[in-house]
Amino acid sequence: MDKVSWDFYVRMTVETLTSLRLKHLMSAIDLDEPDQCQKGTGLTQISGYTEWVSETTPTITLGWDWELNTLQAHPFVCRVGAPRSNIMIVDDLQQDLKYIENSRLLETFIDQLQWQEEVRESVNNKYS
Protein backbone atom coordinates (compact mmCIF):
# COMPACT_ATOMS: atom_id res chain seq x y z
CA MET A 1 0.00 0.00 0.00
CA ASP A 2 2.82 2.38 -0.73
CA LYS A 3 1.69 3.89 -4.03
CA VAL A 4 -1.20 4.73 -6.29
CA SER A 5 -1.41 2.43 -9.32
CA TRP A 6 -1.60 3.54 -12.95
CA ASP A 7 -5.41 3.27 -12.74
CA PHE A 8 -5.53 5.43 -9.57
CA TYR A 9 -6.39 2.55 -7.22
CA VAL A 10 -4.52 1.81 -4.04
CA ARG A 11 -4.28 -1.96 -3.88
CA MET A 12 -4.45 -3.77 -0.55
CA THR A 13 -5.40 -7.07 1.02
CA VAL A 14 -8.50 -7.61 3.12
CA GLU A 15 -6.26 -7.69 6.19
CA THR A 16 -4.91 -4.24 5.36
CA LEU A 17 -8.43 -2.95 4.76
CA THR A 18 -9.67 -4.19 8.13
CA SER A 19 -6.80 -2.45 9.91
CA LEU A 20 -7.39 0.83 8.07
CA ARG A 21 -8.32 3.86 10.18
CA LEU A 22 -10.40 6.49 8.45
CA LYS A 23 -11.20 10.05 9.45
CA HIS A 24 -14.44 11.82 8.61
CA LEU A 25 -13.89 14.43 5.89
CA MET A 26 -17.41 15.69 5.17
CA SER A 27 -21.08 14.83 4.98
CA ALA A 28 -23.99 16.61 3.35
CA ILE A 29 -27.68 16.27 2.59
CA ASP A 30 -28.94 15.68 -0.94
CA LEU A 31 -31.09 18.62 -1.95
CA ASP A 32 -34.55 18.00 -3.45
CA GLU A 33 -35.01 18.93 -7.09
CA PRO A 34 -36.96 22.22 -7.34
CA ASP A 35 -39.61 20.80 -9.70
CA GLN A 36 -40.33 17.96 -7.29
CA CYS A 37 -41.04 20.42 -4.50
CA GLN A 38 -43.58 22.31 -6.60
CA LYS A 39 -45.78 19.27 -7.34
CA GLY A 40 -47.52 19.42 -3.97
CA THR A 41 -47.27 17.32 -0.89
CA GLY A 42 -45.94 13.83 -0.93
CA LEU A 43 -43.47 11.54 0.65
CA THR A 44 -40.06 12.97 1.29
CA GLN A 45 -36.83 11.25 1.97
CA ILE A 46 -33.81 12.65 3.74
CA SER A 47 -30.64 11.34 2.18
CA GLY A 48 -27.07 12.41 1.70
CA TYR A 49 -23.49 11.37 1.28
CA THR A 50 -20.37 11.11 3.37
CA GLU A 51 -16.66 11.00 2.56
CA TRP A 52 -13.89 9.56 4.71
CA VAL A 53 -10.10 9.59 4.25
CA SER A 54 -7.03 7.99 5.74
CA GLU A 55 -4.09 9.86 7.20
CA THR A 56 -1.73 7.55 5.30
CA THR A 57 0.29 8.10 2.16
CA PRO A 58 -1.13 7.59 -0.33
CA THR A 59 -4.47 8.89 0.90
CA ILE A 60 -7.28 6.36 0.91
CA THR A 61 -10.76 7.68 0.14
CA LEU A 62 -14.08 6.00 0.88
CA GLY A 63 -17.48 7.54 0.35
CA TRP A 64 -21.05 6.30 0.37
CA ASP A 65 -24.64 7.46 0.24
CA TRP A 66 -26.94 7.26 3.25
CA GLU A 67 -30.58 7.82 4.04
CA LEU A 68 -32.62 8.48 7.13
CA ASN A 69 -34.74 5.41 7.83
CA THR A 70 -37.95 6.49 9.55
CA LEU A 71 -39.80 3.18 9.33
CA GLN A 72 -38.66 2.11 12.79
CA ALA A 73 -39.63 3.49 16.20
CA HIS A 74 -36.33 5.38 16.34
CA PRO A 75 -35.07 6.94 13.08
CA PHE A 76 -31.51 6.05 12.07
CA VAL A 77 -29.16 6.63 9.16
CA CYS A 78 -28.08 3.67 7.05
CA ARG A 79 -25.77 3.18 4.10
CA VAL A 80 -27.40 2.75 0.71
CA GLY A 81 -25.86 1.74 -2.59
CA ALA A 82 -22.32 0.85 -3.49
CA PRO A 83 -19.41 2.78 -1.99
CA ARG A 84 -17.02 4.98 -3.98
CA SER A 85 -13.34 4.50 -3.29
CA ASN A 86 -9.81 4.33 -4.61
CA ILE A 87 -9.38 0.96 -2.83
CA MET A 88 -8.89 -2.19 -4.87
CA ILE A 89 -8.73 -5.38 -2.82
CA VAL A 90 -6.31 -8.04 -4.04
CA ASP A 91 -6.20 -11.75 -3.32
CA ASP A 92 -3.26 -13.81 -2.05
CA LEU A 93 -1.73 -13.77 -5.55
CA GLN A 94 -1.99 -9.96 -5.71
CA GLN A 95 -4.74 -10.21 -8.35
CA ASP A 96 -7.59 -7.70 -8.30
CA LEU A 97 -10.89 -9.01 -7.03
CA LYS A 98 -13.87 -8.63 -9.31
CA TYR A 99 -15.74 -5.35 -8.97
CA ILE A 100 -18.76 -6.89 -7.21
CA GLU A 101 -16.57 -8.69 -4.65
CA ASN A 102 -14.48 -5.57 -4.04
CA SER A 103 -17.67 -3.57 -3.51
CA ARG A 104 -19.14 -6.20 -1.17
CA LEU A 105 -16.00 -6.17 1.00
CA LEU A 106 -16.02 -2.36 1.16
CA GLU A 107 -19.72 -2.42 2.11
CA THR A 108 -18.99 -4.91 4.90
CA PHE A 109 -16.11 -2.73 6.12
CA ILE A 110 -18.34 0.38 6.16
CA ASP A 111 -21.18 -1.42 7.93
CA GLN A 112 -18.80 -2.37 10.74
CA LEU A 113 -17.69 1.23 11.27
CA GLN A 114 -19.32 3.49 13.81
CA TRP A 115 -20.00 6.32 11.33
CA GLN A 116 -23.61 7.32 11.95
CA GLU A 117 -23.05 9.71 14.85
CA GLU A 118 -20.25 11.53 13.03
CA VAL A 119 -22.52 12.01 10.00
CA ARG A 120 -25.41 13.20 12.18
CA GLU A 121 -23.21 15.76 13.95
CA SER A 122 -21.69 16.98 10.69
CA VAL A 123 -25.09 17.41 9.04
CA ASN A 124 -26.54 19.13 12.13
CA ASN A 125 -23.61 21.57 12.26
CA LYS A 126 -23.81 22.31 8.55
CA TYR A 127 -27.57 22.83 8.28
CA SER A 128 -28.56 24.14 11.73
Side-chain angles (χ1 to χ4, degrees), residues 8 10 13 19 44 46-47 57 62-63 66 70 76 78-79 81 83 85 95-96 105 107 112-113 115 121-122 124:
F8 303 106
V10 177
T13 63
S19 68
T44 187
I46 297 174
S47 62
T57 301
L62 185 59
W66 56 266
T70 59
F76 63 95
C78 57
R79 180 191 53 78
S85 182
Q95 299 297 310
D96 292 353
L105 289 168
E107 289 170 9
Q112 293 174 354
L113 296 174
W115 59 270
E121 286 181 23
S122 178
N124 282 347

Side-chain angles (χ1 to χ4, degrees), residues 43-93:
L43 293 175
T44 187
Q45 181 176 332
I46 297 174
S47 62
Y49 57 91
T50 186
E51 299 290 332
W52 296 67
V53 295
S54 68
E55 294 181 337
T56 60
T57 301
T59 302
I60 306 298
T61 65
L62 185 59
W64 59 93
D65 296 330
W66 56 266
E67 68 182 13
L68 181 64
N69 183 322
T70 59
L71 299 176
Q72 306 296 320
H74 301 286
F76 63 95
V77 292
C78 57
R79 180 191 53 78
V80 293
R84 297 167 300 280
S85 182
N86 65 342
I87 297 171
M88 175 57 70
I89 307 296
V90 296
D91 62 20
D92 293 336
L93 300 174

Side-chain angles (χ1 to χ4, degrees), residues 105-120:
L105 289 168
L106 292 175
E107 289 170 9
T108 300
F109 175 71
I110 292 166
D111 293 344
Q112 293 174 354
L113 296 174
Q114 299 297 315
W115 59 270
Q116 294 85 352
E117 184 63 24
E118 191 83 37
V119 168
R120 186 191 68 74

